[in-house]
Amino acid sequence: MVNTNEKLAIYNVWANETLLRHLDKTVAETGQPIPANILRLFSHVLNAQYIWVGRLTNTPSPVKVWQEHALEELHRMHGETSAKWVGIVRAADETELNRTITYTNSAGDAFTSVVSDIFTHMPVHANYHRGQVAIKMRDAGLTPINTDFITYCREMDAQGKDHMSL
């Protein structure tokens, strides 16, 4: 049976890595830094990953939801949180999937969410903002990259790789 949560978590790692490599390539090709509005959106994606890992493990997040980071820092953040996120998803049994957590968002509002909903939210949220990054890149005269889920699946198939491994 396919573990959709795990597959989406691994896809999310691939999409973030793909975008990071593309941003690096863009800097190398243009000789210009990535525009701040693009870094702000992608910072938000990785900040959210830190924050959700913290909420699920009951540990404080070292970042704020809209804190901005340089490209080099985004690489570090991705490396630090991605394996943790996939590990949390892989380790989740039925009890964990149905567990609820209570947390406070950046506006100070309290919420309670089911872990399985958070597992769905993370890649969907990241996709939304990666789409915004693509639009901002095009607006800046830069070439965006496709990080769609089906693109990931096609790439894994073409490489003969399992969709469930990092």
Side-chain angles (χ1 to χ4, degrees), residues 77-107:
M77 292 170 67
H78 172 67
E80 188 170 305
T81 62
S82 293
K84 287 179 185 177
W85 179 257
V86 171
I88 289 168
V89 172
R90 281 184 169 155
D93 59 12
E94 198 65 29
T95 300
E96 178 64 5
L97 290 172
N98 291 303
R99 179 174 69 102
T100 59
I101 63 166
T102 301
Y103 55 92
T104 304
N105 71 3
S106 61

Side-chain angles (χ1 to χ4, degrees), residues 77-164:
M77 292 170 67
H78 172 67
E80 188 170 305
T81 62
S82 293
K84 287 179 185 177
W85 179 257
V86 171
I88 289 168
V89 172
R90 281 184 169 155
D93 59 12
E94 198 65 29
T95 300
E96 178 64 5
L97 290 172
N98 291 303
R99 179 174 69 102
T100 59
I101 63 166
T102 301
Y103 55 92
T104 304
N105 71 3
S106 61
D109 301 321
F111 292 96
T112 300
S113 295
V114 178
V115 169
S116 62
D117 291 341
I118 294 165
F119 286 176
T120 302
H121 169 73
M122 271 291 299
V124 170
H125 174 262
N127 262 1
Y128 173 78
H129 291 297
R130 282 190 299 265
Q132 289 179 314
V133 166
I135 291 168
K136 297 293 185 189
M137 288 187 78
R138 185 165 281 120
D139 289 348
L142 302 171
T143 303
I145 191 160
N146 182 337
T147 57
D148 287 345
F149 177 74
I150 200 67
T151 302
Y152 160 73
C153 294
R154 290 173 185 156
E155 186 174 305
M156 293 302 105
D157 290 344
Q159 295 176 13
K161 291 184 179 177
D162 179 4
H163 297 203
M164 302 291 280

